[in-house]
Amino acid sequence: DQQVKQNSPSLSVQEGRISILNCDYTNSMFDYFLWYKKYPAEGPTFLISISSIKDKNEDGRFTVFLNKSAKHLSLHIVPSQPGDSAVYFCAASESGGSNYKLTFGKGTLLTVNP
Amino acid sequence: GEEVAQTPKHLVRGEGQKAKLYCAPIKGHSYVFWYQQVLKNEFKFLISFQNENVFDETGMPKERFSAKCLPNSPCSLEIQATKLEDSAVYFCASRGGRWFFGPGTRLTVL
C-alpha cells in the first residue's frame, strides 16, 4: 500500500506561470514533509520542507502548503522557469523528522516550456 | 566533504554474481539510509544505520542483501547472487538535520 501518493505523473506549464504539484498521504503518523527535485542521473536534492505544526512554508519561489485534515500537501512554484523542469518527489517522515526513514511518492515530472 | 559519495557509478553483473556498492556519508552525519529506485519510480527504503548499528532493516530482502557501516570505512550494500529484478539505481543518503542523497549507483543485472 502506498502511503505517499503523487497522482499526477506529469505536469506541463508555461514559463512564468504557476506550477502546482500535489501529494496525498495516508499515514496519520507522518509529521514532517519534504519536497525533493531530481534531475536524470543525479540524486534527489532537497527543495523545501514543512512540519505538521505549520500549514505553510515559503522559500523564494517555492511554497509548500499542508492540509492535515485532508492529508494533502502541495508545492507551488511561482514563477516557473525552464530550469525547474525535473521530477519532483514528495516525501514524508514520522516523529518530527528524526532519524526515521523517508517514505516517497512516485514523483511528478514537471516540464516548464519557454 | 559536504557531499554523499557513492561508488561505483555504474555496475554490471551477470545473474548470480555478487554486487557490492559503497557509500561515504557526509562527515559528522550519524545516520545512513539505502534506497532502491526501480524504473525511475518510487524510492524503496532498504535499511538505515545509526553510526555502525542497524537502525531499521524492514525493507531489506534478507536472503540476498546485506549492509554494513563500519567505523572509518565507507558503508556498503552487498547483493549475493544477483537477480534480474535487482537492476535498479541504489541511492545512499546521510542525515545530520536534513537528508542528503548521493548520486546513486546504477546496477544492471544481465
Side-chain angles (χ1 to χ4, degrees):
Chain A
D1 67 336
Q2 229 189 324
Q3 298 186 65
V4 177
K5 296 176 189 176
Q6 292 178 257
N7 291 321
S8 299
S10 62
L11 175 67
S12 184
V13 299
Q14 211 59 35
E15 182 178 5
R17 306 293 288 267
I18 184 171
S19 296
I20 300 176
L21 295 95
N22 294 301
C23 177
D24 297 291
Y25 61 96
T26 56
N27 186 344
S28 55
M29 297 299 291
F30 287 147
D31 54 11
Y32 190 66
F33 304 90
L34 308 91
W35 285 93
Y36 280 84
K37 180 177 176 180
K38 187 180 181 304
Y39 293 116
E42 292 184 13
T45 53
F46 172 79
L47 205 53
I48 194 169
S49 63
I50 189 167
S51 159
S52 61
I53 61 173
K54 292 185 170 184
D55 53 20
K56 177 183 173 182
N57 189 24
E58 199 170 346
D59 184 1
R61 295 185 298 115
F62 303 92
T63 303
V64 56
F65 296 91
L66 175 62
N67 181 335
K68 283 194 295 292
S69 58
K71 294 194 178 68
H72 176 82
L73 62 153
S74 59
L75 173 68
H76 291 212
I77 307 173
V78 184
S80 302
Q81 299 172 354
D84 296 330
S85 297
V87 179
Y88 288 78
F89 289 92
C90 172
S93 178
E94 294 181 33
S95 299
S98 62
N99 53 316
Y100 289 132
K101 65 189 180 191
L102 292 177
T103 301
F104 284 87
K106 288 191 174 185
T108 296
L109 172 62
L110 173 66
T111 304
V112 180
N113 301 302
Chain B
E2 283 298 308
E3 288 183 349
V4 176
Q6 289 190 248
T7 55
K9 210 171 174 66
H10 301 280
L11 190 57
V12 180
R13 288 289 179 264
E15 214 175 354
Q17 291 186 315
K18 185 173 81 174
K20 197 164 184 178
L21 293 63
Y22 297 92
C23 167
I26 292 172
K27 222 172 188 180
H29 284 191
S30 305
Y31 303 105
V32 171
F33 304 79
W34 284 99
Y35 285 86
Q36 178 195 56
Q37 190 190 30
V38 178
L39 295 175
K40 299 182 184 178
N41 281 337
E42 64 192 294
F43 293 82
K44 183 193 170 203
F45 169 77
L46 294 176
I47 189 169
S48 63
F49 288 84
Q50 183 179 5
N51 297 311
E52 62 266 26
N53 304 308
V54 173
F55 187 79
D56 181 349
E57 55 182 346
T58 51
M60 283 286 266
K62 293 208 172 65
E63 54 279 1
R64 297 183 298 109
F65 283 59
S66 62
K68 290 179 193 173
C69 273
L70 300 175
N72 303 313
S73 296
C75 296
S76 63
L77 176 69
E78 190 167 331
I79 309 172
Q80 302 285 343
T82 51
K83 296 184 177 180
L84 295 175
E85 69 244 33
D86 298 331
S87 294
V89 182
Y90 291 82
F91 289 98
C92 171
S94 71
R95 186 176 187 275
R98 286 180 186 168
W99 290 260
F100 291 85
F101 283 80
T105 292
R106 177 176 295 279
L107 172 65
T108 303
V109 181
L110 303 174

